[in-house]
Amino acid sequence: MQGLSAQATKRPQDENFPVASLVLSRRHRDAVLSFYRFARMADDIADAPAMSPAEKLARLDALEQALVLGDETVPQAARLNAADARHGAGLAEARQLLRAFRQDVVKARYLDWAELEAYCTLSANPVGRFLLRLHGESDAAHGPADALCTALQILNHIQDCARDRTQLDRIYIPLGWLDPAGGEHAFFEPSQAKARRGVLDAMLDRVDDWIDRARALPERLQDRRLRAQSIATISLALALSRRLRRHDPVEARVAISKTDAARAFIGGLAKAPRRPIDQDARIAAAVVNRSGSSFWLGMQSLTQERRRAIHAVYAFCRAVDDIADGAAPSFEKRRFLAEWRREIDRLHRAPQTPIGRELARASIRYKLPLSECHALIDGVETDCAERVRISDDRALDLYARRVAGSVGALSIRIFGAPAAHDFAIGLGRTLQLVNILRDVDEDAACERVYVPLSRLAQAGLQDAPASILVADPRFAGLCEALAAEARAGFAAADDALKRLDRAALKPAILMMESYRRILDHLEVRGWGARQGRLHLTAGDRFQLFTMAMRAA
C-alpha cells in the first residue's frame, strides 16, 4: 500500500469553511480531523497533475481497500477506520466521497444543473452526514445539512472556476449555462464580464436558495457545539455569496476575509442556544425588504399576522419571477419552476423550503386557493422563453390573469376581503398593463414584447427584433392605447371600491395609487426615447406614506 499519497495541497486552516474548529468538542475533533485528512489525501490523488487517469483510479481503489481493512501502512485510512469503529461514522461517508473523486478523474464537464447537484450529493453532502452521525443527530437534520453542503460546494466551484479550468481542465459551471455568455471560451474572456456576471448571479440565486433551506439546520441540532459551528458556517456561506456577487472570480479569486470568519464564529457562539422559531418568516421578510417593491407600503399597513402572510405570497412571487428573469438557460428555468410546482403540491404535507413553509402557514390561516399559485407559475413560465411574444388580446388577458390576477386573488383573502375577488382580478390586469408600459426597454433587452402581435399588425408593424419594434414611432401609439386601457382600469377599480370594504382593502388601494402615479409619470414623459426605468418621486412616496399612516 505504499506510495498511495500525492503531495498535500491544503491544511484545515486553509479551507474556506471550518474544519475541526475549536468550537467542536475535543471528543469529536480527532474523528473530524481523521475524516478531513483522508478526504484531502483522496482529493490530492484525483487532482495530481503528474498522474494518468488510470493511475489515479488505481490509487483511489487501493485507498478504499486500505480504508475498509484499516491498513496501518496507510495512516490516513487506518485512523479513519479506527474513528469509525469508535463512533460509528466515517467509513460509509468516505466511500461516498471516493465516488466523487473517481468522477473527477473521468468527468471534466457538466451538462446541466441536475448533473452538478448530483455530483454534490457525492462530493459534499457526505461530509455533513458524517458530522451528523458523529454527533448522534436525528434524521430531521439531514435535509438542511445536505442543502448547506451543496451550497458550500457550488460556492467553491464558482470561487475556483478559473483555477479549475486552467490547472485541472475542469469546469463545474454547467455547459448549458455558459451558452448565454457565448460558450466556454467566451465565458472566461476578461472582456465578457457583463455576460459572465448574469450567469454567475443566476447560479448564486440557486445557491442562496440552498442556503435558505439550510437555515433550519441549527434548530434541528441537539449538540450545542455543532449548532454553533453550523450557524457560523451558514454565515460564512452568505458572506462568500455576497462577495461573489460583487467581485468577478474569473479576474481574481474571491475569498472570505478574516473579519467575516471572526464575525461568523462570534455570532455562532452567541446564538448557539436556539435559533428563533420564526426564521422562515425572517427569510420571507428579507426578500420583501431587498426588493424595493412598490407594494411595500401596502404591506406595511397590515397587522403583523396578515403582513407575515402577504410577505410569504410576495416572496413566492419574487422567487419564481427571479427564475424567469435570470440568465439560466430556458430549459433550466422550466425545471426550477417545476420544482416550485412540486413544492406547492406538498404545502399541506411537508414543504421543503422556508418560503414554502410560510406559504403553507398563510394558506391554512386565510384559506388561500393554491390553484392561484399554479396559475402564477403558468404565467411566469411564459417569460422563460428566450423570445417572448403575445399573440393577441386574449393571450394578453390570460397572461395578465396568471401573473397578476393570481396575486390579487391571494392577497384579498389575506386582507380579509374575499368578496373583492372580481375587483382583485380587474386591478391585477390594470397593474400588469402599467408594468408592461414601465418595462418596455428592459423587456426588449431580453427579447420580450408584451404588446400583442395582432395590435402590432394593425399598426402596420411586422414582428422583428424587440429593439427595432420598440424604437418604431408606431409602437408609441400602441403604448398610448395600453395606457388608456390602464386608465380605464383604474376608473373601474375606483367605482368598484364604492361597494366594497375600503378599510380591509387599504393595502390594495395603496398599491393601486402607487401604480396610478407611475402611469401619470409615464404619460408625462411620453412614449418615445426612454431614459431608464421610471421610479416614484420623493413627493409620490411622501403622499403614499401619508396614506399608509392613515390606514395604520
Side-chain angles (χ1 to χ4, degrees):
M1 294 295 177
Q2 294 290 344
L4 284 182
S5 63
Q7 184 175 359
T9 58
K10 283 186 179 181
R11 302 166 298 168
Q13 57 267 37
D14 298 325
E15 302 289 348
N16 270 333
F17 304 103
V19 175
S21 71
L22 295 177
V23 172
L24 296 179
S25 69
R26 184 176 299 177
R27 179 167 61 93
H28 295 125
R29 205 175 303 138
D30 286 345
V32 175
L33 281 173
S34 296
F35 189 88
Y36 172 80
R37 288 166 180 153
F38 178 87
R40 184 75 268 153
M41 179 183 183
D43 196 15
D44 288 339
I45 291 172
D47 291 351
M51 291 187 201
S52 68
E55 184 180 2
K56 291 178 181 180
L57 292 173
R59 291 199 184 197
L60 290 172
D61 288 345
L63 185 59
E64 182 170 16
Q65 184 180 11
L67 173 65
V68 173
L69 297 175
D71 192 330
E72 295 290 345
T73 65
V74 186
Q76 295 91 335
R79 291 191 192 107
L80 183 53
N81 181 287
D84 183 88
R86 288 194 305 274
H87 300 284
L91 196 148
E93 294 83 6
R95 296 183 77 179
Q96 284 286 90
L97 289 183
L98 287 171
R99 291 178 60 192
F101 296 135
R102 290 189 184 98
Q103 184 166 311
D104 281 335
V105 174
V106 299
K107 187 177 180 64
R109 301 293 187 274
Y110 290 80
L111 294 176
D112 55 27
W113 195 259
E115 276 198 356
L116 180 61
E117 288 183 336
Y119 171 74
C120 292
T121 65
L122 300 176
S123 66
N125 296 6
V127 179
R129 295 294 183 99
F130 162 69
L131 287 171
L132 295 178
R133 286 184 64 200
L134 180 66
H135 289 81
E137 298 291 347
S138 72
D139 292 351
H142 285 180
D146 289 347
L148 179 57
C149 291
T150 295
L152 299 180
Q153 180 71 89
I154 298 176
L155 284 170
N156 280 335
H157 289 330
I158 297 173
Q159 180 185 41
D160 294 333
C161 62
R163 182 190 69 86
D164 287 342
R165 178 173 182 258
T166 302
Q167 298 182 11
L168 304 172
D169 188 33
R170 286 191 207 134
I171 298 178
Y172 294 98
I173 299 172
L175 295 179
W177 292 60
L178 298 175
D179 291 339
E184 177 181 324
H185 179 75
F187 179 87
F188 288 95
E189 280 290 317
S191 61
Q192 295 299 310
K194 183 177 180 181
R196 182 166 56 246
R197 183 74 266 163
V199 173
L200 294 173
D201 284 346
M203 291 186 70
L204 289 168
D205 286 344
R206 306 308 301 168
V207 169
D208 288 347
D209 179 61
W210 283 116
I211 296 174
D212 281 345
R213 297 185 190 204
R215 289 174 189 257
L217 177 60
E219 67 187 35
R220 299 186 187 183
L221 297 176
Q222 298 302 312
D223 186 277
R224 184 180 183 279
R225 288 174 174 267
L226 184 61
R227 196 181 310 138
Q229 177 152 313
S230 73
I231 293 171
T233 305
I234 292 169
S235 178
L236 289 172
L238 288 167
L240 183 53
S241 178
R242 287 192 296 267
R243 283 181 177 271
L244 286 167
R245 287 187 186 275
R246 294 195 301 267
H247 304 287
D248 189 339
V250 170
E251 294 181 354
R253 191 174 189 273
V254 180
I256 296 170
S257 69
K258 292 181 179 179
T259 301
D260 288 330
R263 185 181 296 117
F265 275 98
I266 292 171
L269 291 169
K271 300 174 184 176
R274 275 292 170 190
R275 286 177 67 80
I277 60 172
D278 62 348
Q279 181 65 24
D280 292 342
R282 292 188 177 193
I283 291 171
V287 171
V288 175
N289 292 333
R290 286 196 304 267
S291 70
S293 169
S294 302
F295 296 165
W296 185 83
L297 275 174
M299 297 179 200
Q300 293 304 107
S301 70
L302 292 166
T303 61
Q304 183 175 354
E305 191 57 47
R306 293 184 188 277
R307 185 164 64 245
R308 179 172 178 174
I310 202 67
H311 282 174
V313 170
Y314 183 86
F316 163 65
C317 296
R318 186 77 270 153
V320 296
D321 200 42
D322 285 347
I323 289 171
D325 289 345
S330 294
F331 73 92
E332 296 279 39
K333 292 178 180 181
R334 292 190 176 92
R335 188 174 78 83
F336 298 150
L337 290 179
E339 291 177 3
W340 267 110
R341 291 186 192 280
R342 289 189 289 273
E343 179 76 338
I344 297 302
D345 287 339
R346 61 178 169 248
L347 278 192
H348 293 164
R349 300 193 305 275
Q352 296 179 2
T353 65
I355 293 172
R357 289 189 289 271
E358 282 297 288
L359 198 56
R361 186 178 189 275
S363 173
I364 293 169
R365 281 180 173 264
Y366 299 106
K367 298 180 173 59
L368 302 183
L370 297 185
S371 59
E372 296 294 349
C373 296
H374 282 293
L376 175 63
I377 296 173
D378 289 340
V380 169
E381 195 162 13
T382 300
D383 296 331
C384 291
E386 294 180 3
R387 184 177 183 276
V388 176
R389 296 293 188 272
I390 303 296
S391 60
D392 52 29
D393 284 3
R394 184 177 179 181
L396 176 62
D397 288 342
L398 178 60
Y399 174 74
R401 171 61 181 86
R402 287 171 167 174
V403 299
S406 60
V407 182
L410 293 167
S411 298
I412 51 109
R413 286 166 172 79
I414 295 172
F415 299 160
H421 179 83
D422 291 344
F423 163 81
I425 300 303
L427 181 59
R429 181 182 187 278
T430 298
L431 300 189
Q432 189 58 36
L433 291 180
V434 177
N435 275 336
I436 290 171
L437 293 168
R438 181 192 63 189
D439 299 338
V440 162
D441 288 334
E442 288 183 17
D443 289 335
C446 303
E447 201 52 47
R448 297 174 180 171
V449 177
Y450 294 98
V451 175
L453 291 172
S454 59
R455 297 196 185 198
L456 294 173
Q458 289 171 3
L461 285 167
Q462 293 184 337
D463 193 9
S467 59
I468 294 176
L469 285 175
V470 302
D472 192 294
R474 289 169 290 184
F475 192 84
L478 297 173
C479 289
E480 289 178 2
L482 279 183
E485 288 183 36
R487 188 66 69 188
F490 284 126
D494 290 334
D495 184 61
L497 282 169
K498 297 174 184 177
R499 300 178 293 277
L500 295 170
D501 184 350
R502 290 182 62 94
L505 290 170
K506 277 289 186 181
I509 294 170
L510 287 166
M511 296 173 191
M512 181 175 73
E513 293 304 324
S514 296
Y515 271 73
R516 199 191 314 249
R517 282 163 173 75
I518 290 172
L519 181 60
D520 290 342
H521 294 308
L522 286 170
E523 289 182 323
V524 168
R525 190 171 72 176
W527 311 106
R530 300 288 192 272
Q531 298 175 350
R533 185 185 239 202
L534 188 147
H535 296 279
L536 293 174
T537 67
D540 293 328
R541 289 193 292 271
F542 177 77
Q543 291 177 14
L544 292 168
F545 179 76
T546 302
M547 289 180 65
M549 290 301 98
R550 288 201 300 268

